[in-house]
Structures are given as C-alpha cells and as structure tokens.
Amino acid sequence: MEFGISGVTFIILLFAVVFIVKTINVVPQQHAWVVERLGKYHATLPPGLNIVLPFIDRIAYKHVLKEIPLDVPPQVCITRDNTQLQVDGILYFQVTDPMRASYGSSNYIAAITQLAQTTLRSVIGKMELDKTFEERDHINTSIVSAIDESASNWGVKVLRYEIKDLTPPKEILHAMQAQITAEREKRALIAASEGRKQEQINIASGEREAAIAKSEGEKQASINRAQGQAAAILAIAEASAEAIRKTAAAIREPGGSDAVSLKVAEQYVSAFGQLARTNNSIIVPANLSDMSSLIAGALQVMKTQNKS
C-alpha cells in the first residue's frame, strides 16, 4: 500500500516537472520562437522568459534574427557577347518577420538562393564581358533590389550581395592577359616617346636661352666697348682742344709768334733729316727759298732770344 502511494507521488512530481518545463521557455537574445496553439499560429515569443500552455501550445519554428551570410553556389552565366562566365557570390540577409518566415515559404533560404541565381543570370546577360568586371557594384545593387522585393513576402530582408569571383574560360582569360600586356607595352612606348620629346624640347629651350644670353652678353660688351671708345675719343678731343687753347693763348702773348715759328723750323729740319737718312737718294726741297727763309727767321728769333 505504501509503495502504491509512493509511485503515484512520483508520477505526480514527474508530471509537475514536465508541466513546468513545458510551461516556461527562455528565448535567447536575437532569437524569435513561433508558437502554434492547436496547430494554428498563436504568437511569437520575444527574447527572455515566456510562459506557454503545455500540450496545447507548441514551439513550431525557431528563427535567428542576426545577419546571416548565405553562400550562393557558383553558376555559369552567358554575357551579352555570348561568353560563358562562372560567377560565385555571397548573400547577406536577416529575418525581420518570424511569422512570415515561418509560413510565407516552405524554405525561404532555398527560395532566396534560387532567386539570387536567376537574377544574377539575368543581369549578366544584359552586359558585355568587359563591363562585368567594371560594374560589380551595379550587379550587386541590381540583385539586392530584385531579391528584396520578393523576399519581403517571406519575412526576410536582403541586405547586400557581393560577387566573390568572376572566372571566364581559359581561352578568354589568356586573350585578356595578352590584351593587357599589349596595352601596358603600348603605354610604355608612349611614355618613352613622350620622355624623348620632352627631352628634345628641354634641350632646344636650353640652347635657345643660352644663345639669347650669349647675344645679350655680346650686345652689352659691344655697347661697353663703344661707350669706352666714345669716352676715349671725347677725352682725346677735350685734351686736344685744351692744348689748342693753351697754344693759342701762348701765341697771343709777347714773343709767342716767334716761338711758334722757331718750333716749326726745328721740326721741319728734324723731319727732313730723318727722311734723308732713311733713303740712299739725295732729297732736295722743292722750294729752297722757303726753307732758307724759314731757317733765317728761326736764326733771327734765336739771336733775339740770346740778346734779351
């Protein structure tokens, strides 16, 4: 009898524990649990301590509200110029409405993945191969806009899409590498020719500036020489004028005229003597009377000077 009572007590205690466990639910932060009551949506449990009716309420779905990265499988896309291109990307999304995420789609992750792949093929098909490498941001934005519009019905917010890799066929890749090499060689040749052109321009400019500087120097030197010669001529002229003025003044003084005649006679005789020594022939003045009168005048002046 005691054993029966103890067994019932144990069963009651076990039932109480199960009831308490089923009643109290602790939802972690950044999580949301969807509760169904008798098979119908009842509520969404927020983070923290929540109480439900055991055996009547059921935790049907559990969602993570954090940002989730989804790796989109690589696929082959055909560009506008009929080139195959393998594209690999990653999608970032977040559950914003747990109720719609539970009942809007049977598998919203697979739906998002398929929609991302089909949208990517559509966007790549409108572009040429070269543009796909240049306009990654445009591709990412187009895919996010297209997916987000449909994903809102599934309680999901698509945040962004990033292309991880664009892989063209090996033949196209080799052709692109050859084109890049040719472009680099072309730019190198253009840069070298521009350098040589600039070098020639610099040399010509330097030679022109040197010629201008040299001509300016020669011009200034000629001006300086001309100014020096003019100054010398002016100084000689001024000295000659001063000498003439002094001579004229001396002539006007008493005895000045006789002194001039005596000086002229001396110079005449001296010059005649020098001329006679430099020639073997005998030189006779053309007018001996003028010479004799000049010498006589000079002797008369000397006698007068001696008497005085």
Side-chain angles (χ1 to χ4, degrees):
M1 187 68 179
E2 292 180 359
F3 177 78
I5 296 175
S6 300
V8 172
T9 304
F10 177 77
I11 293 174
I12 293 173
L13 290 176
L14 181 62
F15 180 79
V17 171
V18 173
F19 184 86
I20 293 173
V21 170
K22 290 289 186 178
T23 302
I24 299 175
N25 290 272
V26 179
V27 180
Q29 183 67 31
Q30 287 295 91
H31 287 72
W33 294 358
V34 175
V35 178
E36 292 181 350
R37 177 168 291 179
L38 300 178
K40 183 179 179 180
Y41 172 76
H42 173 65
T44 300
L45 301 182
L49 182 64
N50 296 272
I51 297 176
V52 299
L53 297 178
F55 309 109
I56 297 177
D57 295 339
R58 182 176 68 91
I59 306 298
Y61 300 97
K62 295 181 179 181
H63 298 286
V64 178
L65 303 182
K66 299 177 183 179
E67 182 176 341
I68 301 174
L70 177 62
D71 191 7
V72 179
Q75 62 177 333
V76 177
C77 302
I78 300 177
T79 61
R80 184 177 179 181
D81 49 356
N82 296 324
T83 302
Q84 293 184 352
L85 184 66
Q86 185 173 352
V87 185
D88 186 13
I90 184 169
L91 184 70
Y92 296 86
F93 71 95
Q94 186 178 20
V95 176
T96 57
D97 191 341
M99 191 271 289
R100 288 190 176 185
S102 301
Y103 304 103
S105 174
S106 59
N107 189 343
Y108 63 85
I109 295 180
I112 293 174
T113 303
Q114 293 296 324
L115 186 58
Q117 289 181 323
T118 56
T119 306
L120 179 61
R121 287 195 296 267
S122 176
V123 173
I124 294 295
K126 298 177 182 179
M127 305 173 64
E128 295 181 355
L129 179 62
D130 294 338
K131 294 295 183 180
T132 58
F133 296 96
E134 300 174 1
E135 299 185 4
R136 287 195 177 191
D137 293 338
H138 173 69
I139 297 174
N140 297 338
T141 305
S142 300
I143 294 175
V144 170
S145 300
I147 298 177
D148 190 49
E149 184 177 356
S150 300
S152 61
N153 297 324
W154 306 330
V156 177
K157 174 69 175 177
V158 178
L159 302 177
R160 60 188 179 276
Y161 179 84
E162 299 291 339
I163 295 177
K164 293 194 298 184
D165 193 15
L166 292 172
T167 307
K170 294 182 179 180
E171 297 78 8
I172 301 297
L173 186 60
H174 291 163
M176 294 175 63
Q177 291 176 349
Q179 182 180 3
I180 293 173
T181 303
E183 288 292 333
R184 290 178 178 175
E185 293 177 353
K186 177 182 176 181
R187 288 196 296 267
L189 293 175
I190 292 174
S193 64
E194 289 293 335
R196 290 192 296 270
K197 176 182 176 182
Q198 189 63 40
E199 180 184 3
Q200 295 298 325
I201 291 174
N202 293 337
I203 292 174
S205 178
E207 292 177 351
R208 184 185 65 180
E209 292 179 359
I212 291 173
K214 182 179 180 181
S215 63
E216 289 292 336
E218 293 177 350
K219 175 183 176 182
Q220 189 62 40
S222 299
I223 292 172
N224 293 338
R225 286 194 298 270
Q227 290 178 350
Q229 292 174 359
I233 293 173
L234 181 59
I236 293 172
E238 290 178 354
S240 299
E242 183 64 25
I244 291 172
R245 283 194 296 270
K246 290 183 178 181
T247 302
I251 292 173
R252 287 193 297 268
E253 294 180 358
S257 178
D258 296 336
V260 172
S261 299
L262 178 60
K263 185 64 176 177
V264 171
E266 290 178 352
Q267 292 180 353
Y268 183 83
V269 172
S270 176
F272 184 78
Q274 292 292 334
L275 184 61
R277 285 199 298 269
T278 57
N279 197 340
N280 295 328
S281 302
I282 299 174
I283 298 175
V284 179
N287 194 350
L288 295 176
S289 61
D290 292 340
M291 179 180 177
S292 60
S293 61
L294 182 62
I295 294 173
L299 292 175
Q300 184 64 33
V301 173
M302 291 177 62
K303 289 179 181 179
T304 305
Q305 292 294 330
N306 291 330
K307 290 179 179 180
S308 60

